[in-house]
Amino acid sequence: MADVAVGKDKCGEQRLVSLPLSRIRVIMKSSPEVSSINQEALVLTAKATELFVQYLATCSYRHGNGKAKKALTYSDLASTAEDSETLQFLADILPKKILASKYLKMLKEKREEEEEENDDESDIGEVLA
Amino acid sequence: MAERPEDLNLPNAVITRIIKEALPDGVNISKEARSAISRAASVFVLYATSCANNFAMKGKRKTLNASDVLSAMEEMEFQRFVTPLKEALEAYRREQKGKKEASEQKKKDKDKKADSEEQDKSREEDDEDEERLDEEEQNEEEELDN
């Protein structure tokens, strides 16, 4: 990949950015209203994404009991996304997992509620008529 | 859109490395967690781009620039990123300046070399002319001897 990282030294010194700029650019361009992206904006977005990954990982790891944990799991991430205001934009893509049986129960309850409402409306209709 | 789904993802190896470096040693990351973080990162890029684009449009510009991205971070409540991003920007600009100066220097050297090569070449031609003249003189002398 031609533009893998900015600041890649032959002596292998710390790169400015590790994420591939070409891929970041593809994601950015997939946004409909964007026409062009200046190179500096590309580099900063890549760097910001790295900072974001670090932030999400550490936040999720620490979230909850504050005890030293052995592993970072999906549910840590989902809880963090739900509880953090800043990470609200992730709530849809990191939904909390529930048991299928629980979900089916929820669906059933919702359907029952809707049926009740319809019944109420038809009652009102009769009264007016 | 012509992108395939995998093109909107970031490479697993790099994402994993960033996560590992952020967490204490020995902490495991489940595959599901890693995949989720990778998706979240892609969503972050989209969100940041959209936000930055709003700032560009406000400024009646069609090209996203560095300050648009910085403004987007503040808007997204990631002020914590602003300082390290500004430092990264400075470092990047210094590096670009260095590269530019290096390539300009190379070009100057190249031009200088070309000039001096031309001088050498004309000097050689002069030498050749002199040699020929010498030979002709010698030949004349020989003829005379004969």
Side-chain angles (χ1 to χ4, degrees), chain B residues 115-134:
Chain B
D115 281 348
S116 59
E117 275 180 354
E118 280 185 9
Q119 285 178 11
D120 285 348
K121 206 173 162 204
S122 52
R123 229 178 289 131
E124 277 179 12
E125 289 177 342
D126 288 350
D127 286 351
E128 281 176 2
D129 287 346
E130 279 186 12
E131 280 184 9
R132 230 183 304 124
L133 286 172
D134 284 349

Side-chain angles (χ1 to χ4, degrees), chain B residues 15-137:
Chain B
I15 294 285
T16 305
R17 181 157 41 93
I18 299 171
I19 298 171
K20 289 210 155 179
E21 285 173 1
L23 295 178
D25 281 341
V27 174
N28 285 327
I29 308 119
S30 75
K31 200 168 158 199
E32 225 185 354
R34 195 185 355 135
S35 158
I37 293 179
S38 185
R39 275 181 288 133
S42 298
V43 169
F44 174 83
V45 173
L46 286 171
Y47 183 19
T49 304
S50 173
C51 220
N53 197 50
N54 287 339
F55 284 101
M57 293 198 294
K58 260 191 236 175
K60 305 216 169 109
R61 281 174 285 106
K62 288 206 173 152
T63 306
L64 286 189
N65 66 24
S67 74
D68 295 329
V69 176
L70 291 171
S71 304
M73 293 300 122
E74 296 216 14
E75 179 83 3
M76 291 160 71
E77 294 182 31
F78 284 112
Q79 290 91 345
R80 58 181 63 228
F81 294 172
V82 171
T83 306
L85 285 178
K86 282 185 175 168
E87 288 173 2
L89 183 60
E90 286 310 301
Y92 175 73
R93 285 175 172 168
R94 274 197 305 268
E95 197 193 63
Q96 292 305 104
K97 192 166 170 233
K99 276 193 205 165
K100 191 177 172 203
E101 285 168 4
S103 72
E104 280 173 4
Q105 187 58 43
K106 263 196 214 165
K107 190 170 182 292
K108 268 189 223 157
D109 290 345
K110 198 175 161 200
D111 288 345
K112 230 171 55 178
K113 196 172 173 214
D115 281 348
S116 59
E117 275 180 354
E118 280 185 9
Q119 285 178 11
D120 285 348
K121 206 173 162 204
S122 52
R123 229 178 289 131
E124 277 179 12
E125 289 177 342
D126 288 350
D127 286 351
E128 281 176 2
D129 287 346
E130 279 186 12
E131 280 184 9
R132 230 183 304 124
L133 286 172
D134 284 349
E135 278 187 7
E136 287 181 351
E137 282 182 8

Side-chain angles (χ1 to χ4, degrees), chain A residues 39-54:
Chain A
Q39 190 71 5
E40 285 183 350
L42 180 60
V43 170
L44 283 191
T45 303
K47 183 73 185 167
T49 307
E50 289 185 12
L51 294 172
F52 172 75
V53 170
Q54 291 170 351

